[in-house]
Amino acid sequence: MPTLEVVTMAEIRSLEELQAPDDAALIFTPHGLGGPMPAKVSAEFLQRLVADCELASGVAEGTRREFDRLQRLFAYGLLDYDVFTMVDDRALLVMEQALRERFVQWCAGAVTFEDANGLESPRSEDVHNYDDVHIVVKKLGRRSRRGPRQQPSPRWQLKVGSTLIDFNGTLAGLRTWARAAGLLRGQRTRGIEHAMSNLRNAVAHPTAYHRTTPVETARTLHDLAELINQLWGHPTPGGRLYPAPVERDIVVMAWNDAGSVHMAQADALRDDTGAEGFLYVLIRSVSGLGSQYEDPHWAAFDSRFETTQFPAEYLWGPGSRSEALAWLDAEQPKGDTVDYLDRVFMLREHDGQLYPPMHPEVAAGLTEEEQRGTWHTIRADFPQHAFTHVRGLNDSPDAHSRTGDCRSCAAHHLGSGSHEQALRAAETAIGLVVPRRPTIVRIPDSLFWPHRF
């Protein structure tokens, strides 16, 4: 006679037990892991972790309500530690929802597909939600399979401006669309988006039990808020993934033959206690010492090459302190704002030497002799990333892509060839390039960027 399996019912807890804090949540403090905090203090701490996750105006209502719910539920991890994991998992799914809702808004009621012969699909005027998008994609998929076996019908691709992309309605297709439409930006973030997609797939198709800490969940919510805001055209000031343009101030750099290098706000020139034997140069820079954007390579400034992490623009110098102050008073230069993501660099290879990245305007102003060699045009967030990509083309040619997005690093390869060909690739990406040849300014070699010649 078969044995009956006894099913154990879930524990029924009292209201007081449901309201009791989870000890696992209490050990997360503002200073890291430690002794458990009082429940009242922990409740405030957890809410403050995600309180600054704000969505911009214009975000679709469905996405906004889903995000608000996650932000509200996060604090309930104080009572049940597993809530953090549930919020984290759901946040990865809301990422796809945001992309879907933004796609429907972008369509404005119609999508256009085109085949390899240039034939456009009939415009679908009934795309009012993402289910309609799936219907259009499936209909075109069936049409592609109707061709004779000897001559299959060409694949349909989504038309995004003047660009055609593969699009099947999945998360990967949505990410490709968002990039093609210019809604998502940054080369480093491209890899992060891919990682977030993989995590979303793991949540949608789980294979094992897992738990997430409140720190990880708070980071996921911040990243999700940045992605959502960027999709609706609002980069995040000081953001990790999609930062807003940053302010540049007028700064002065000074150095002497002994290898001492200093940087300060330009008004420091008015201090008449300046040391003797120094040369001065004025630049426009975001790299304020001690600020969020302090540049680890600020002392490597070179007017010809992009050797600082953030964009630095040569203005005047080198010269004495009195000359620098006279120029500053006469010209009264102003600060500005600059976007440091998706910059375009040109790099030269000649006689076995790979030179540091150049701004296209500076590269365009080179002499005929300086233009010799093979040139590469790269889109990257930082000059070091562009340099690493080009070096990888020689050291690991199978790992780095010579066309488009690199599969191994945070760079997009725009073109290679002669100086003229590379410059043409740069102009295709950023528009007309006006040649510029600044006075050569180079900080002493003792403190230079690792890969200058």
Side-chain angles (χ1 to χ4, degrees):
M1 189 172 179
T3 303
L4 294 177
E5 183 179 352
V6 178
V7 178
T8 303
M9 294 181 59
E11 178 186 359
I12 304 299
R13 295 185 291 171
S14 66
L15 178 59
E16 289 74 15
E17 290 173 320
L18 291 172
Q19 293 174 331
D22 191 323
D23 292 339
L26 298 177
I27 64 173
F28 288 88
T29 78
H31 306 290
L33 294 177
M37 290 195 298
K40 184 178 295 186
V41 177
S42 182
E44 180 179 353
F45 166 65
L46 290 173
Q47 291 177 81
R48 290 189 180 279
L49 278 181
V50 297
D52 58 344
C53 294
E54 297 183 4
L55 299 189
S57 60
V59 172
E61 182 65 18
T63 297
R64 179 182 298 279
R65 294 180 68 176
E66 284 285 354
F67 186 86
D68 289 346
R69 176 161 55 189
L70 294 176
Q71 193 175 25
R72 185 175 66 255
L73 288 175
F74 177 83
Y76 286 87
L78 173 66
L79 306 179
D80 189 333
Y81 190 84
D82 284 330
V83 169
F84 295 124
T85 302
M86 297 172 66
V87 170
D88 190 81
D89 288 354
R90 182 63 184 172
L92 294 167
L93 298 177
V94 172
M95 173 185 66
E96 183 170 8
Q97 176 182 339
L99 283 162
R100 289 183 171 200
E101 292 199 285
R102 186 67 182 93
F103 182 87
V104 171
Q105 287 187 355
W106 173 82
C107 287
V111 288
T112 301
F113 287 80
E114 188 175 302
D115 67 14
N117 298 323
L119 176 65
E120 288 190 0
S121 65
R123 291 177 65 85
S124 172
E125 303 296 340
D126 297 321
V127 176
H128 301 298
N129 57 57
Y130 207 73
D131 288 338
D132 295 335
V133 176
H134 275 305
I135 292 172
V136 174
V137 170
K138 290 179 180 179
K139 179 176 64 176
L140 292 174
R142 288 194 299 269
R143 187 179 301 173
S144 296
R145 292 191 291 270
R146 288 176 187 165
R149 291 184 180 180
Q150 300 302 320
Q151 191 175 11
S153 298
R155 183 178 73 254
W156 292 94
Q157 293 182 297
L158 178 66
K159 194 170 185 179
V160 185
S162 59
T163 303
L164 294 175
I165 64 168
D166 291 332
F167 184 81
N168 60 3
T170 64
L171 176 57
L174 285 165
R175 285 175 43 224
T176 302
W177 155 77
R179 285 275 166 176
L183 299 179
L184 295 180
R185 47 194 269 277
Q187 295 303 308
R188 181 184 66 89
T189 313
R190 194 166 36 82
I192 296 176
E193 292 164 6
H194 182 69
M196 291 174 69
S197 296
N198 288 339
L199 290 172
R200 174 267 175 203
N201 293 337
V203 169
H205 309 284
T207 58
Y209 174 82
H210 70 285
R211 299 185 95 187
T212 306
T213 69
V215 176
E216 293 170 309
T217 303
R219 169 61 62 85
T220 299
L221 288 177
H222 277 88
D223 288 351
L224 176 60
E226 282 200 46
L227 185 141
I228 292 172
N229 286 333
Q230 180 61 48
L231 284 173
W232 270 270
H234 297 275
T236 302
R240 186 179 85 94
L241 302 186
Y242 309 100
V246 293
E247 295 184 356
R248 293 197 300 189
D249 295 324
I250 310 302
V251 302
V252 58
M253 293 184 64
W255 68 95
N256 61 15
D257 292 337
S260 178
V261 183
H262 304 279
M263 180 175 70
Q265 295 294 316
D267 284 343
L269 289 168
R270 305 186 189 284
D271 182 358
D272 59 6
T273 61
E276 297 295 328
F278 277 78
L279 285 175
Y280 296 80
V281 62
L282 291 164
I283 63 175
R284 191 176 278 118
S285 172
V286 303
S287 183
L289 294 178
S291 75
Q292 177 183 353
Y293 299 102
E294 182 174 344
D295 195 328
H297 303 304
W298 65 267
F301 175 77
D302 190 313
S303 59
R304 299 162 297 170
F305 299 105
E306 297 291 308
T307 50
T308 55
Q309 182 167 333
F310 298 103
E313 180 185 356
Y314 165 82
L315 296 176
W316 175 90
S320 66
R321 185 185 67 84
S322 60
E323 292 171 328
L325 184 57
W327 184 91
L328 187 68
D329 288 338
E331 299 297 330
Q332 297 186 358
K334 305 297 182 183
D336 63 4
T337 58
V338 63
D339 188 357
Y340 61 87
L341 299 188
D342 289 324
R343 287 180 278 167
V344 172
F345 303 99
M346 290 178 59
L347 296 89
R348 178 193 184 202
E349 282 187 285
H350 185 56
D351 288 340
Q353 173 71 52
L354 174 60
Y355 292 79
M358 278 186 166
H359 191 285
E361 289 185 354
V362 176
L366 297 177
T367 65
E368 186 175 341
E369 175 69 24
E370 294 167 331
Q371 293 177 11
R372 294 180 180 179
T374 300
W375 287 81
H376 306 275
T377 305
I378 309 298
R379 188 191 299 279
D381 298 338
F382 301 106
Q384 297 94 325
H385 294 175
F387 187 92
T388 299
H389 171 74
V390 175
R391 184 176 58 185
L393 295 176
N394 298 323
D395 297 344
S396 306
D398 295 334
H400 292 265
S401 305
R402 290 185 174 270
T403 303
D405 293 339
C406 183
R407 57 185 176 272
S408 298
C409 65
H412 180 97
H413 200 107
L414 294 168
S416 294
S418 66
H419 178 270
E420 181 182 356
Q421 290 171 322
L423 186 58
R424 194 158 53 239
E427 290 188 322
T428 299
I430 62 176
L432 180 65
V433 173
V434 179
R436 171 164 54 93
R437 188 171 181 84
T439 301
I440 295 177
V441 176
R442 182 180 183 183
I443 308 304
D445 288 346
S446 59
L447 292 172
F448 66 68
W449 192 65
H451 301 295
R452 277 171 48 196
F453 71 97

